[in-house]
């Protein structure tokens, strides 16, 4: 923790503004939120601000702007790219954790108005009693906050059906870089009173302002679900099965996820309470879920018929429909423990990329070959979202090796180049944070970089808001 | 048509760039596209550019920028607010009509890549053979072009289920105000490589650049539909029925439209081939349609059960489920002829507003009272999209009166103020164009105006692109 001899008036002003509970500077109090959860990023901050209201957030930003202190907005701090902790310039971390009220839920409007610090899992729970759903589902939902999900434009497993955060946000309240409050928290599906500011702040990772409140779209809660786990010969088959499900399961198709034999083996080896789901071993697995929000839909029949067609065209080696809710949950747990299994195996490199759905199989084959060419024996563990083309293309060193022998950069370069060759993106749903800005600049065109810089400079001319993230200015 | 004695070199350069077919300046050649289709807006342009490629669009923009000539992008010119014709500064109209190729359709990806001049109806037809659908439906679809739909962030009748244009656009190619080409035509659902530029250009009405190409999201084509027309006692009942349908028809609910007895009477009086659909006369009508993209769903039963519940709760006076495709089409025609019926009645004032769905009934009652207070006897004809809160709150003068007796401004003010009082927007799906910019500035906060101005200035510092539209700088 850097001392503050040069900033005593700033420190005093922050304390006066936020009180003892709202302004923490001791290393013990700030340690947990100073570093990202993989403990890879985070310069020591000047302090941790914990405002309790939009007005307090605005006051913090005004103080920081006046003193030239960078502002680093933080939600649940579950990000993988260091977006919610300080970069080289240090600064103040502004945690929204105390702003965690669900302000209203409207069952006619199908909207919820929430403070940015509401945890996704808590929102799910609050809605469950009311037969309503907010259809954003991801591994970190027990910690991830709405503001962070908006900042990174999160996707998750149901994005193919319900969209990403930007598709689920109707209105926003944002504290801008000069401390003024933009009240755009309207509950409107159709609102074209000028530029779509509500969409621009989604995915901006707090570099254009701090989201303090959001009006979210809700949906009727699912009242029936059917899920299946399939074993397939390769990713080409997985892609064909995905297209077939899209056609045969229609509007019920909520998620089509995939993982491979290596990922399953690592999860089974390292994570308690998992069991091999099928007699046939992969090499590729697909988890499909369909759901309806009204009763009386024969979901099991619909899924069975679709899978029968997939069997008939020779694309499925083995498969089973979940016979119970417990089995459905068990299927999902396998998919969700992929990251944990690989983490516990040891050293790894994560890549969050996306390609057009039609290129997914070709990309995985191509990227695997490219990685193998850089480091023979490197273990490739791709898993993710078949339904929207989002691949977490993660690597472990060759069996028996402790690390990547200095080849990390070359491996990542090979993976990202493959994604771009297939018309893809090097940042699908985890954002850029501080980890991927320079990388992104290697793949973004000069025109695109210039557009983003212009927007950043226009809205944050003094580069106060989360500097060094998303775009360099 | 303004002569060009001061701009001979510009004229020669445009001709050299675009050829005889691509650069038209005679009044006969430019008349139809110089004025909006209600013939209310459009200063004489210097000429009409009809580029045939993105490179030609870029060359036109560079020439205009070099000569300080405003650029007015134009799609199907079906807008109601003068967005696609010249304002006071004149300029060059750039029609995308020749760029009308569907470049590719991908049935695995569920995407179509199209040039901006593709007409929506032509896209529907091209997809029909392939069991795919682009779910944007609106009255002007026989003329409206993809680029214009993106520019205005169009909504239409199915937005409640499938979203607006910004939700249906995955990637864009845009010619920027300095003539450079931004190639963002990626076919990715998840792409967070920086700010969401693809969303920012949706609804910008060509003020930040000219959209030349788009990658659109497709869906499986509906293979079954069921529709019903209901008569209800008032808008409160309509709102309750809408909520009930949302809960009971779940993911099948594609559209919930409404109109009133006056709108029906005007359509029946003036438009050929319409028939009164129910024995009971309104006063409020709701048209509901549900659809599925897979066979075997008992849509009629689902709709019947939902409507039975609505009858039971006393909200429906009369109603019928379409017994045939012809009857379904006839129901839709009633709804779609609302604007034509009122236009043929004579003088009118149109308002395109939206409110939260839960406020729709209260807004209509409130706005009707406010309009009546300004002009006793004024005839109120609200119709539109119950499912998303979008009301076309249109007025005709009192029966027997030829016009509004100079009260147009006061009437509009009353309607817009009511919309804002109910948390609504004064521009839902028709954009601002040149008609509503000053109006919008009366209702947008200073903070919001400043944000929009900053974006405009950042991307178009010389105010070349469609000046006077969306935001004043």
């Amino acid at each position: 923790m850097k001392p503050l001899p040069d900033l005593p008036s700033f420190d005093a002003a922050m304390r006066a503004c936020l009180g003892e509970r709202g302004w923490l500077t001791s290393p013990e109090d700030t340690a947990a939120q100073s570093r990202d959860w993989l403990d890879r990023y985070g310069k020591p901050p000047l302090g941790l601000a914990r405002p309790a209201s939009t007005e307090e957030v605005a006051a913090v930003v005004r103080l920081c702007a006046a003193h030239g202190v960078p502002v680093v907005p933080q939600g649940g701090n579950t990000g993988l790219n260091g977006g919610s902790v300080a970069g080289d310039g240090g600064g103040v971390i502004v945690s929204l954790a105390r702003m965690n009220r669900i302000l209203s839920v409207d069952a006619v409007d199908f909207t919820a108005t929430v403070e940015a610090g509401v945890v996704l899992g808590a929102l799910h729970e609050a809605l469950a009693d009311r037969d309503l759903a907010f259809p954003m589902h991801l591994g970190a939902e027990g910690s991830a906050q709405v503001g962070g999900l908006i900042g990174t434009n999160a996707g998750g497993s149901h994005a193919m059906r319900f969209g990403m955060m930007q598709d689920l946000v109707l209105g926003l309240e944002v504290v801008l870089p000069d401390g003024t409050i933009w009240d755009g928290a309207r509950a409107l599906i159709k609102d074209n009173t000028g530029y779509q500011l509500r969409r621009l702040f989604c995915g901006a990772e707090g570099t254009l302002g701090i989201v303090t409140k959001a009006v979210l779209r809700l949906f009727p809660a699912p009242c029936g679900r059917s899920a299946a786990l399939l074993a397939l010969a390769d990713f080409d088959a997985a892609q064909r099965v995905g297209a077939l499900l899209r056609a045969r399961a229609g509007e019920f198709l909520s998620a089509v996820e995939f993982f491979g034999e290596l990922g399953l083996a690592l999860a089974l080896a390292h994570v308690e309470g998992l069991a091999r789901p099928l007699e046939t071993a992969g090499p590729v697995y697909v988890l499909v879920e369909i759901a309806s929000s009204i009763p009386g839909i024969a979901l099991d029949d619909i899924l069975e018929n679709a899978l029968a067609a997939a069997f008939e065209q020779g694309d499925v080696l083995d498969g089973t429909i979940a016979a119970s809710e417990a089995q459905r949950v068990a299927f999902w747990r396998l998919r969700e423990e992929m990251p944990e299994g690989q983490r516990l195996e040891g050293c790894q490199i994560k890549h969050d990329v996306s390609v057009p759905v039609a290129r997914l199989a070709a990309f995985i084959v191509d990227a695997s070959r490219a990685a193998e060419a850089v480091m023979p024996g490197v273990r490739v563990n791709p898993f993710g979202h078949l339904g929207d083309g989002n691949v977490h293309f993660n690597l472990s060193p060759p069996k028996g090796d402790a690390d990547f022998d200095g080849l990390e950069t070359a491996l990542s370069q090979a993976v990202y180049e493959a994604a771009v060759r297939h018309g893809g993106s090097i940042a699908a749903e985890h954002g850029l944070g501080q980890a991927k800005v320079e990388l992104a600049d290697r793949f973004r065109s000069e025109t695109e970089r210039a557009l983003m810089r212009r927007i950043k400079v226009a809205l944050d001319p003094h580069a106060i808001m989360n500097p060094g993230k998303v775009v360099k200015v």
Side-chain angles (χ1 to χ4, degrees), chain A residues 102-125:
Chain A
I102 295 172
L103 301 170
S104 65
V105 173
D106 192 316
V108 174
D109 241 25
F110 286 86
T111 55
T113 303
V114 304
E115 291 183 321
V118 166
V119 170
L120 179 55
L123 179 60
H124 287 161
E125 277 171 33

Side-chain angles (χ1 to χ4, degrees), chain A residues 436-454:
Chain A
K436 290 170 92 169
V437 178
E438 283 171 25
L439 175 75
D441 277 344
R442 289 213 298 279
F443 291 104
R444 290 187 279 216
S445 67
E446 174 51 36
T447 301
E448 192 160 318
R449 289 203 299 277
L451 275 172
M452 291 185 187
R453 274 198 305 266
R454 283 173 182 222

Side-chain angles (χ1 to χ4, degrees), chain A residues 140-438:
Chain A
E141 64 191 47
S143 309
Q145 296 172 10
V146 167
L149 294 165
I150 291 170
T152 53
N153 189 22
S157 54
H158 287 50
M160 66 171 293
R161 176 165 176 180
F162 295 102
M164 304 185 70
M165 279 305 282
Q166 64 187 350
D167 303 301
L168 298 170
V169 164
L170 294 181
L172 291 176
E173 179 189 77
V174 179
V175 173
L176 300 173
D178 64 357
T180 58
I181 299 165
W182 172 56
D183 179 5
R186 297 184 280 266
L188 300 172
I189 295 170
K190 292 178 174 172
D191 181 15
N192 277 312
T193 323
Y195 302 134
Q196 293 294 306
L197 300 174
R198 53 184 173 172
R199 302 302 177 99
L200 181 61
F201 288 106
C202 294
E205 299 192 41
T207 61
L208 304 177
I210 304 184
V211 172
T212 46
K213 198 200 288 185
V215 183
L216 303 175
R217 274 192 95 153
L218 304 180
F219 292 80
C223 74
R225 283 194 192 93
S226 185
L229 194 78
L230 314 175
L232 305 99
D234 54 34
F235 287 103
D236 277 317
Q239 192 174 298
R240 284 192 300 270
V241 168
L244 187 146
L245 285 166
R246 186 82 199 262
R248 298 291 184 108
E251 51 273 351
F252 305 110
L253 194 59
S254 297
V256 188
E257 301 280 296
F258 74 95
F259 50 93
E261 182 56 33
L262 173 65
L264 178 63
L266 294 178
L268 292 172
H270 298 299
V271 182
E272 289 286 309
L274 303 184
R276 188 166 278 281
L278 297 169
E279 285 183 17
T280 311
V284 175
Y285 298 90
V286 164
L287 168 57
V288 53
E289 180 165 301
I290 69 175
S292 173
S293 66
I294 63 173
I297 306 296
L299 291 170
D300 281 347
D301 292 349
I302 290 167
L303 190 53
E304 247 169 56
N305 290 340
L307 297 182
F311 268 102
E312 253 168 56
Q313 72 186 29
D315 281 331
V316 181
L317 305 175
D318 194 1
T320 183
I321 292 182
S324 65
E325 175 63 9
Q327 197 176 9
R328 187 188 72 83
V329 170
F331 288 170
W332 272 103
R333 224 192 125 206
L334 289 175
R335 163 65 187 85
E336 283 166 359
E337 294 293 7
M338 288 295 119
E340 189 62 2
Q342 191 166 24
R343 188 182 73 82
L344 293 169
E345 173 75 359
C347 183
Q348 61 168 324
I349 314 174
K350 286 171 174 282
H351 304 96
D352 167 47
V353 302
S354 65
V355 291
V357 176
R359 307 298 292 272
L360 189 121
F363 159 72
I364 291 176
V365 169
D366 191 11
S368 300
R369 251 189 232 133
E372 171 76 20
V374 172
M375 187 179 201
V378 69
R379 287 177 295 164
V380 170
N381 181 20
F383 58 88
H385 316 288
L386 185 64
D388 58 38
N390 180 192
V391 184
H392 303 299
F393 195 91
N394 296 355
L395 303 176
S396 289
K399 189 130 186 93
D401 288 10
D403 60 34
F404 291 96
D405 210 13
L407 293 168
E408 289 86 345
T409 304
L411 284 164
S412 289
Q413 182 76 12
V415 172
Y416 291 130
E417 280 174 359
V420 171
R421 260 200 311 281
H422 288 278
S425 165
I426 58 126
E429 61 174 6
H430 296 168
L432 298 176
Q434 53 188 286
K436 290 170 92 169
V437 178
E438 283 171 25

